């Protein structure tokens, strides 16, 4: 159950926190830390409220503080990005991953998800997208996976600008290539539908965490 909104959700759809003896709560992104845990939704509003009102104290039955909001949001997004790169690595090991513009075009009908690097050229993007437009079930996401609304929010906060820059760099064509053991990749495609769905869910959580429900 989320400590902020009291809604119930499957374990994997909630953020888990553990508490140290000093009363500080820490994010447990892989749900592996021992001891009692307290949970929050992957939602900006729930996280913000929990930081302000120390909502985790109720679950831990002791005064418990969360890290300051911006740092916490960054930690959550970084953890999500790790999960995303792990899932991409899994797809690669299962040979369900396609990369390179020509290979992607050839495999067009088998792909369920297309991940674009942060620095893909508009012309390459257009070329890829035009070829794919007939296939409705294909999802397309562009690194670093922040939607327009979260980009605006991140950009309005000076402390977060350099962090955003590092995220954009982390998902450049060069970084995307390294991630899959290649030189430079502007896009990668996934063939496995369930794995694509899982990856999409993890990506969606990033936007949810960075966008408040009320307009800012
Ligand atoms: Zn909640």
């Amino acid at each position: 159950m989320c400590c902020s909104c009291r809604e119930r959700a499957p374990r994997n759809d909630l953020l888990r926190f553990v508490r140290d003896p000093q009363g500080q709560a820490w994010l447990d992104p892989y749900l592996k830390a021992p001891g009692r845990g307290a949970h929050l939704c992957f939602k900006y509003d729930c996280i913000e409220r929990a930081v302000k009102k120390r909502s985790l104290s109720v679950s831990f039955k002791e005064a418990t503080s969360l890290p300051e909001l911006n740092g916490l949001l960054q930690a959550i997004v970084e953890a999500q990005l790790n999960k995303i790169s792990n899932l991409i690595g899994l797809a690669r090991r299962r040979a369900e991953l396609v990369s390179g513009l020509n290979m992607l075009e050839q495999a067009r009908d088998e792909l369920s998800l297309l991940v674009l690097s942060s620095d893909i050229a508009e012309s390459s993007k257009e070329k890829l997208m035009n070829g794919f437009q007939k296939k409705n079930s294909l999802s397309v996401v562009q690194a670093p996976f922040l939607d327009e609304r979260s980009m605006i929010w991140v950009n309005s906060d000076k402390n977060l600008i350099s962090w955003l820059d590092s995220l954009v760099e982390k998902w450049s064509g060069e970084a995307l290539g390294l991630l899959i053991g290649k030189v430079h990749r502007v896009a990668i495609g996934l063939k496995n539908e369930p794995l694509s769905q899982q990856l999409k869910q993890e990506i969606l959580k990033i936007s949810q965490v960075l966008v408040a429900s009320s307009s800012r």
Side-chain angles (χ1 to χ4, degrees):
M1 188 170 77
C2 170
C3 293
S4 282
C5 69
R6 320 301 288 171
E7 268 180 41
R8 290 177 184 280
R11 223 171 158 248
N12 285 327
D13 291 342
L14 293 170
L15 293 158
R16 181 176 193 260
F17 294 87
V18 289
R19 181 188 188 279
D20 69 17
Q22 286 73 42
Q24 176 74 42
W26 299 99
L27 180 66
D28 172 29
Y30 293 98
L31 317 179
K32 278 182 180 162
R36 192 186 169 83
H39 299 87
L40 292 173
C41 297
F42 275 89
K43 282 184 191 154
Y44 179 88
D45 295 15
C46 291
I47 299 163
E48 186 193 36
R49 198 184 316 161
V51 170
K52 273 192 192 154
K53 305 205 164 171
R54 294 176 155 221
S55 316
L56 299 193
S57 306
V58 179
S59 262
F60 288 118
K61 299 183 174 115
E62 275 185 282
T64 306
S65 308
L66 279 161
E68 56 88 25
L69 184 63
N70 281 350
L72 179 57
L73 295 172
Q74 287 176 40
I76 293 167
V77 171
E78 302 275 356
Q80 285 309 111
L81 291 174
N82 273 334
K83 282 185 205 171
I84 290 165
S85 59
N86 288 342
L87 287 172
I88 290 174
L90 182 65
R92 178 195 168 212
R93 290 194 298 280
R94 290 182 181 167
E96 292 166 346
L97 185 143
V98 182
S99 71
L101 291 180
N102 290 337
M103 296 297 281
L104 284 167
E105 282 181 343
Q106 279 173 29
R108 184 180 295 169
D109 296 334
E110 298 169 73
L111 299 180
S112 41
L113 181 70
L114 193 61
V115 179
L116 307 178
S117 73
S118 56
D119 58 355
I120 184 171
E122 269 316 304
S123 55
S124 307
K125 188 172 167 180
E126 233 166 73
K127 194 173 168 221
L128 261 181
M129 305 306 287
N130 285 341
F132 283 114
Q133 65 192 1
K134 289 189 191 83
K135 193 166 182 288
N136 297 328
S137 57
L138 180 79
S139 306
V140 181
V141 286
Q142 182 160 11
F145 314 122
L146 306 178
D147 67 14
E148 237 167 72
R149 290 173 306 155
S150 37
M151 286 293 239
I152 290 163
W153 172 71
V154 170
N155 274 312
S156 69
D157 188 320
K158 280 183 189 154
N159 296 326
L160 291 177
I161 293 176
S162 62
W163 171 67
L164 179 66
D165 286 345
S166 75
L167 275 190
V168 170
E169 237 163 70
K170 226 182 239 185
W171 288 87
S172 65
E174 198 183 336
L176 201 57
L178 269 178
L179 185 66
I180 58 168
K182 310 271 184 187
V183 180
H184 187 276
R185 288 294 184 262
V186 292
I188 55 176
L190 262 68
K191 287 182 181 174
N192 178 308
E193 176 70 32
L195 194 61
S196 296
Q197 284 301 330
Q198 200 185 341
L199 193 58
K200 249 177 78 180
Q201 286 305 315
E202 299 300 347
I203 290 169
L204 186 67
K205 287 174 188 169
I206 294 181
S207 305
Q208 288 174 351
V209 158
L210 291 180
V211 179
S213 64
S214 50
S215 56
R216 296 166 67 88

